[in-house]
């Protein structure tokens, strides 16, 4: 009998849940609003979702995974650091609350685990994932295992410096970060108030607007520098791109490949494959479940 798991993705707006088997087949899914400032509500909603999903199978659920923003503790039992968001989440032990073992990890790392277990990076030993959305996050896979590093901080590719002369600093204090260069949260500032979202910027780029094209290609160029730098340090087999900005499709991938041909070291013609992620908005929940399944001995 195949092992089954529940995966929960706790976001600031929506809570998503899946019931999956060890092959990655989604057996059931659920969604609820978070109401982010009401901790009692979203904690109760998560518990209710787990109960609901568990009733969608006659099997006993083997394990539960939960993904959320922030840094998890070393035991992956809770989110240990998340200032300013989802008050009540920090150091909240989900296993005690649910009454069953729950493994907790960062949402971007969960997206990587979804791709490694069931998606674009399945069977790959060394991979890096970039999540391109409101901000920029990521995860690192080494020898087929999630690498979390000291203090669980590994994989935060959005904090890479791609413009040392910039006066804009990210949340880490680093100037000119990748997150600032391409994240949706900074597009209004970068466009001098012209655009409120990356999709608006892309619409004008596709219409041939020279300012929009310059701004978009500048962002993609900086993304290529970050990817090339990560490849030079870690030498992964694959880089996976996920998140809302990947909806740009070939408007992103075509110039990115051109820039990477300029900046990526390719000894003997060898290069790291760059692909889009397979999973979309359920990646966090699927990855949380996949990560939890790796913990079953």
């Amino acid at each position: 009998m195949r092992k089954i798991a529940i995966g929960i993705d706790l976001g600031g707006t929506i809570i998503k849940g899946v019931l999956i088997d060890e092959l990655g087949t989604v057996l059931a899914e659920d969604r609820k609003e978070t109401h982010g400032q009401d901790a009692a509500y979203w904690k109760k909603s998560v518990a209710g979702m787990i109960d609901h999903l568990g009733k969608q199978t006659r099997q006993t659920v083997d394990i539960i995974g939960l993904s959320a923003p922030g840094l998890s503790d070393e035991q992956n039992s809770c989110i240990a650091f998340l200032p300013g968001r989802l008050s009540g989440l920090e150091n909240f032990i989900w296993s005690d609350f649910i009454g069953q073992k729950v493994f907790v990890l960062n949402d971007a790392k969960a997206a990587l685990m979804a791709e490694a277990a069931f998606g674009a990076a399945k069977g790959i030993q060394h991979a890096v994932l970039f999540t391109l959305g409101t901000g920029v996050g990521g995860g690192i896979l080494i020898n087929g295992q999630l690498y979390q590093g000291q203090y669980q901080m590994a994989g935060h590719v959005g904090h890479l410096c791609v413009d040392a002369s910039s006066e804009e600093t990210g949340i880490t204090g680093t100037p000119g970060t990748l997150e600032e260069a391409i994240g949706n949260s900074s597009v209004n500032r970068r466009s001098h108030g012209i655009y409120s979202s990356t999709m608006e910027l892309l619409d004008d780029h596709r219409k041939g607007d020279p300012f929009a094209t310059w701004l978009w290609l500048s962002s993609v160029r900086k993304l290529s520098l970050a990817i090339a730098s990560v490849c030079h340090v870690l030498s992964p087999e694959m880089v996976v791109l996920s998140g809302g900005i990947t909806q740009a499709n070939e408007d992103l991938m075509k110039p990115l490949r051109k820039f990477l041909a300029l900046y990526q070291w390719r000894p003997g013609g060898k290069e790291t494959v760059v692909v889009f992620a397979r999973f979309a908005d359920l990646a966090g929940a699927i990855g949380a479940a996949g990560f939890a399944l790796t913990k079953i001995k």
Side-chain angles (χ1 to χ4, degrees), residues 143-246:
N143 294 326
Q145 302 292 318
L146 177 65
Y147 176 70
Q148 299 187 84
Q150 183 175 227
Y151 310 126
Q152 314 296 86
M153 290 169 58
H156 280 79
V157 294
H159 303 323
L160 283 166
C161 176
V162 291
D163 182 5
S165 64
S166 174
E167 295 182 2
E168 298 292 331
T169 58
I171 62 171
T172 62
T174 302
T177 64
L178 176 61
E179 183 168 270
E180 171 65 24
I182 201 169
N184 200 52
S185 61
S186 67
V187 71
N188 186 258
R189 186 203 62 76
R190 287 185 280 120
S191 68
H192 303 281
I194 296 174
Y195 303 111
S196 60
S197 73
T198 301
M199 290 303 112
E200 289 181 8
L201 167 64
L202 272 167
D203 283 343
D204 274 5
H205 163 59
R206 288 163 176 160
K207 293 173 185 175
D209 180 272
F211 175 73
T213 294
W214 171 79
L215 187 59
W216 173 246
L217 293 180
S218 295
S219 297
V220 176
R221 175 178 176 268
K222 290 175 180 177
L223 173 62
S224 76
L225 291 170
I227 291 173
S229 297
V230 167
C231 289
H232 298 159
V233 173
L234 295 176
S235 192
E237 299 166 71
M238 176 180 288
V239 169
V240 182
L241 304 181
S242 71
I245 291 175
T246 62

Side-chain angles (χ1 to χ4, degrees), residues 118-131:
F118 313 115
K122 184 176 181 180
I124 298 296
Q125 289 296 296
H126 313 297
V128 178
L129 178 134
F130 285 66
T131 59

Side-chain angles (χ1 to χ4, degrees), residues 42-297:
W42 51 255
K43 289 175 183 178
K44 183 178 178 180
S45 294
V46 168
M49 186 176 289
I50 290 171
D51 182 64
H52 169 72
L53 290 168
K55 291 177 179 176
Q56 306 310 302
T57 176
R58 294 180 181 179
Q59 283 184 241
T60 299
V61 173
D62 293 287
I63 199 76
I64 300 169
L66 183 143
S67 73
L71 301 177
S72 66
D73 67 346
E74 292 183 5
Q75 293 75 40
N76 290 104
S77 64
C78 68
I79 293 297
F81 186 74
L82 180 65
R85 295 176 61 190
L86 289 172
S87 177
L89 180 61
E90 282 188 339
N91 299 309
F92 183 74
I93 306 298
W94 287 96
S95 296
D96 294 344
F97 182 67
I98 300 300
Q100 186 175 349
K101 184 63 179 176
V102 180
F103 286 95
V104 181
L105 75 164
N106 170 269
D107 48 5
K109 292 180 174 65
L112 169 64
M113 293 310 297
E115 299 303 324
F118 313 115
K122 184 176 181 180
I124 298 296
Q125 289 296 296
H126 313 297
V128 178
L129 178 134
F130 285 66
T131 59
L132 310 174
T134 302
V136 175
I140 301 169
L141 192 76
I142 297 177
N143 294 326
Q145 302 292 318
L146 177 65
Y147 176 70
Q148 299 187 84
Q150 183 175 227
Y151 310 126
Q152 314 296 86
M153 290 169 58
H156 280 79
V157 294
H159 303 323
L160 283 166
C161 176
V162 291
D163 182 5
S165 64
S166 174
E167 295 182 2
E168 298 292 331
T169 58
I171 62 171
T172 62
T174 302
T177 64
L178 176 61
E179 183 168 270
E180 171 65 24
I182 201 169
N184 200 52
S185 61
S186 67
V187 71
N188 186 258
R189 186 203 62 76
R190 287 185 280 120
S191 68
H192 303 281
I194 296 174
Y195 303 111
S196 60
S197 73
T198 301
M199 290 303 112
E200 289 181 8
L201 167 64
L202 272 167
D203 283 343
D204 274 5
H205 163 59
R206 288 163 176 160
K207 293 173 185 175
D209 180 272
F211 175 73
T213 294
W214 171 79
L215 187 59
W216 173 246
L217 293 180
S218 295
S219 297
V220 176
R221 175 178 176 268
K222 290 175 180 177
L223 173 62
S224 76
L225 291 170
I227 291 173
S229 297
V230 167
C231 289
H232 298 159
V233 173
L234 295 176
S235 192
E237 299 166 71
M238 176 180 288
V239 169
V240 182
L241 304 181
S242 71
I245 291 175
T246 62
Q247 293 174 20
N249 295 315
E250 284 304 302
D251 287 303
L252 170 60
M253 192 62 82
K254 185 176 179 179
L256 178 62
R257 286 180 175 135
K258 288 283 189 180
F259 286 126
L260 283 172
L262 291 174
Y263 303 133
Q264 186 184 15
W265 184 33
R266 296 176 175 176
K270 299 180 177 68
E271 64 181 276
T272 298
V273 176
V274 181
V275 301
F276 286 133
R278 173 181 170 185
F279 298 108
D281 67 335
L282 286 176
I286 291 171
F291 177 73
L293 283 167
T294 68
K295 300 297 183 179
I296 298 175
K297 296 180 180 179

